[in-house]
Amino acid sequence: MTNADWLNRSLKAVWHPCTQMKYHDSGELPLIPVASGAGAWLYDFEGRRYLDAIGSWWVNLFGHASPRINAAVKDQLDRLEHVILAGFTHAPVVELSERLSTLTGGELGHCFYASDGSAAVEIALKMSHHYWRNHGQPGKQEFLCLAGSYHGETLGALGVSDIGLYKEAYGALMHHAIAVPSPDARQAEVGETAADVARRAAAGLEAMLAARHESVAALIVEPLVQGAGGMVMYDPEYLRRARALCDRYRVHLIADEIMVGFGRTGTLFAHEQAGIRPDLLCLSKGITGGYLPLSVVLSTDDLYGAFYDDSYTRAFLHSHSYTGNTLACRAALATLDIFAEDEVLARNRRFAERFTDLLVPLARHPRARHFRRRGMIWAVDIDSADPDFRLRFFREALQRELLLRPLGTTLYFMPPYILDDDEAVLLAERAVAALDAALA
Ligand SMILES: *Cc1c(COP(=O)(O)O)cnc(C)c1O
């Protein structure tokens, strides 16, 4: 079978996500059939290769076909593939929950599982509202989110997201959250620091809480980097202030670390950089190293305690068929093993310095604005009025063996944590070449 065979069969039978299928049919947008993956590379059916510089939509941490994760999943497959998690339990889910709890200093000690990031967000929103109900404050049913936030695409998650395109199409179906100012560091005026912007945004949050706290259940944030909204980066000072304000006004702080968790921002969890803990922590994406769908919401003793009762109606009412899937938990355990055995965070710090140096030509490109980095995420805004810039760049990058998908005119890199020096050089050099070609 050739690339063309798979491509044609896929276009007939597969409805691809977030895709205008007609662009594929007209040949405007290439569809790449992938036969195999190894390390940072994806291979098609005709021997062409692509460097996966966005970790296959932000999930892959240690490359494709990672020998250690493969071995763990294969071992688990011969023991137990899956079991119902209501009334039953299994070793991988217990061990994973214990280890995640330890990694939050024991402060977020109760793990509730689902399969996708959006489901984790739904769970956190339901838990927060139900908590206040159980505490005799059923009126707390509104949510605050940051301007430009993204928390997933199911209806509850879309309701706390602030992305125009989705609001337009599905707004009629949503329970809309109230957007408060984003601490986007790019808003700094001359002489201002990112921390100054954070303090200004926190003042906006305070005004909103002062006015509405009696009807607000929770504030949900993407700590340090707002991903799908354009890799918007901000100072940890905002999280410190948000934590204090949520405490003062009796509102939960939900940290959606679905993208930024597992080392992406330089620490295992992004909120650590602010020296705070959220009440609810949502994790997914990198949790299984990019192998299997798994998400989890971690909560405090206080939150958990509000549901612990003689009555079933006070229990948290939520379940998915594949809750706590055994294979996925085992992949997650293998992922955590790699973090510990390879001192991944320290290696990433060294890599990030080197890669940032390699990106100097991109940062200094005449059309580049606001080059920025947080941990293992690099982003730059491209000054282009071309509505097709995104598509043009995507195509030029593919021709240079790179998988890079800009968000609008924001070009970003979210590579797996295993690039060697040659791969880093290749990525940095060809990204600039693709940019020049896309702008030409
Ligand atoms: C991807 C993402 C989600 C949604 O996760 P899915 O697995 O795609 O449903 C939610 N929040 C953030 C910050 C994300 O990046």
Side-chain angles (χ1 to χ4, degrees):
M1 295 284 269
T2 63
N3 281 341
D5 296 327
W6 287 115
L7 190 154
N8 289 327
R9 285 170 65 183
S10 193
L11 291 183
K12 284 208 184 74
V14 183
W15 196 341
H16 292 268
C18 258
T19 297
Q20 174 47 269
M21 293 299 292
K22 190 168 180 187
Y23 294 170
H24 282 313
D25 265 333
S26 65
E28 230 178 302
L29 179 67
L31 180 70
I32 314 290
V34 175
S36 63
W41 295 92
L42 296 167
Y43 298 88
D44 72 8
F45 289 82
E46 292 165 8
R48 280 186 63 93
R49 60 173 197 168
Y50 302 94
L51 183 74
D52 189 353
I54 57 164
S56 282
W57 249 352
W58 319 345
V59 298
N60 190 288
L61 300 189
F62 299 115
H64 298 277
S66 155
R68 280 175 284 179
I69 306 178
N70 282 10
V73 172
K74 285 178 188 170
D75 175 72
Q76 186 58 45
L77 191 57
D78 285 332
R79 296 167 196 271
L80 176 68
E81 77 298 334
H82 177 73
V83 64
I84 177 175
L85 199 65
F88 289 76
T89 194
H90 55 83
V93 79
V94 173
E95 283 177 25
L96 180 59
S97 306
E98 288 173 351
R99 283 174 70 175
L100 289 174
S101 165
T102 302
L103 290 169
T104 62
E107 290 173 65
L108 298 167
H110 308 277
C111 294
F112 195 99
Y113 290 89
S115 308
D116 290 291
S118 309
V121 169
E122 305 275 335
I123 288 165
L125 300 177
K126 279 174 68 180
M127 267 184 186
S128 173
H129 169 64
H130 200 162
Y131 170 98
W132 296 115
R133 234 178 97 80
N134 283 353
H135 273 296
Q137 289 180 269
K140 281 168 97 66
Q141 46 184 260
E142 285 188 305
F143 297 101
L144 303 185
C145 66
L146 297 184
S149 59
Y150 176 89
H151 296 288
E153 299 180 27
T154 53
L155 289 175
L158 273 182
V160 290
S161 297
D162 184 36
I163 307 270
L165 191 63
Y166 293 101
K167 275 188 162 172
E168 226 170 86
Y170 308 112
L173 308 180
M174 293 178 207
H175 179 81
H176 291 276
I178 303 164
V180 293
S182 161
D184 183 350
R186 292 174 301 183
Q187 296 166 6
E189 316 250 339
V190 181
E192 259 192 335
T193 63
D196 292 330
V197 179
R199 281 185 279 271
R200 225 184 319 127
L205 171 63
E206 177 161 19
M208 187 62 76
L209 283 171
R212 304 188 78 120
H213 63 97
E214 278 173 11
S215 60
V216 173
L219 163 71
I220 183 166
V221 296
E222 296 160 86
L224 302 186
V225 184
Q226 296 183 264
M231 297 300 157
V232 172
M233 301 188 184
Y234 64 87
D235 194 274
E237 178 63 15
Y238 184 79
L239 296 175
R240 278 189 285 277
R241 300 224 163 188
R243 176 70 277 177
L245 289 167
C246 286
D247 287 341
R248 171 149 26 114
Y249 288 102
R250 308 242 323 130
V251 161
H252 292 135
L253 177 62
I254 302 173
D256 172 354
E257 296 223 13
I258 290 164
M259 180 191 85
V260 295
F262 298 100
R264 201 34 91 177
T265 66
T267 42
L268 190 69
F269 300 123
H271 68 260
E272 293 168 21
Q273 291 178 50
I276 58 132
R277 291 281 181 215
D279 299 292
L280 291 159
L281 173 63
C282 302
L283 302 171
S284 184
K285 291 207 163 109
I287 191 171
T288 62
Y291 267 62
L292 288 157
L294 183 72
S295 62
V296 58
V297 179
L298 281 77
S299 61
T300 59
D301 288 345
D302 175 48
L303 233 129
Y304 177 79
F307 295 83
Y308 194 85
D309 192 77
D310 294 326
S311 152
Y312 187 68
T313 58
R314 285 177 72 98
F316 184 54
L317 305 174
H318 196 99
S319 61
H320 292 288
S321 316
Y322 284 102
T323 296
N325 174 258
T326 317
L327 285 172
C329 287
R330 194 61 198 278
L333 286 168
T335 300
L336 288 179
D337 285 342
I338 295 177
F339 270 100
E341 287 161 15
D342 293 5
E343 296 184 17
V344 169
L345 299 179
R347 181 195 181 275
N348 282 357
R349 273 195 290 279
R350 293 190 294 275
F351 175 87
E353 267 175 45
R354 167 84 176 126
F355 192 56
T356 305
D357 287 343
L358 291 171
L359 288 180
V360 167
L362 177 64
R364 295 200 181 143
H365 192 281
R367 304 283 283 278
R369 307 282 180 270
H370 298 295
F371 178 82
R372 52 199 184 273
R373 172 177 85 88
R374 173 72 70 178
M376 291 289 280
I377 306 172
W378 291 261
V380 63
D381 303 333
I382 304 303
D383 181 15
S384 165
D386 176 3
D388 290 332
F389 168 78
R390 185 178 161 273
L391 189 59
R392 240 184 265 285
F393 181 89
F394 177 61
R395 262 199 241 111
E396 295 294 343
L398 285 176
Q399 279 176 20
R400 290 165 180 77
E401 300 188 315
L402 303 182
L403 166 48
L404 283 169
R405 287 170 49 110
L407 292 156
T409 49
T410 299
L411 176 57
Y412 73 90
F413 302 86
M414 225 191 279
Y417 302 159
I418 49 148
L419 293 195
D420 64 23
D421 201 59
D422 290 344
E423 290 164 338
V425 169
L426 180 150
L427 174 56
E429 288 181 356
R430 293 190 188 177
V432 176
L435 177 61
D436 284 327
L439 291 171

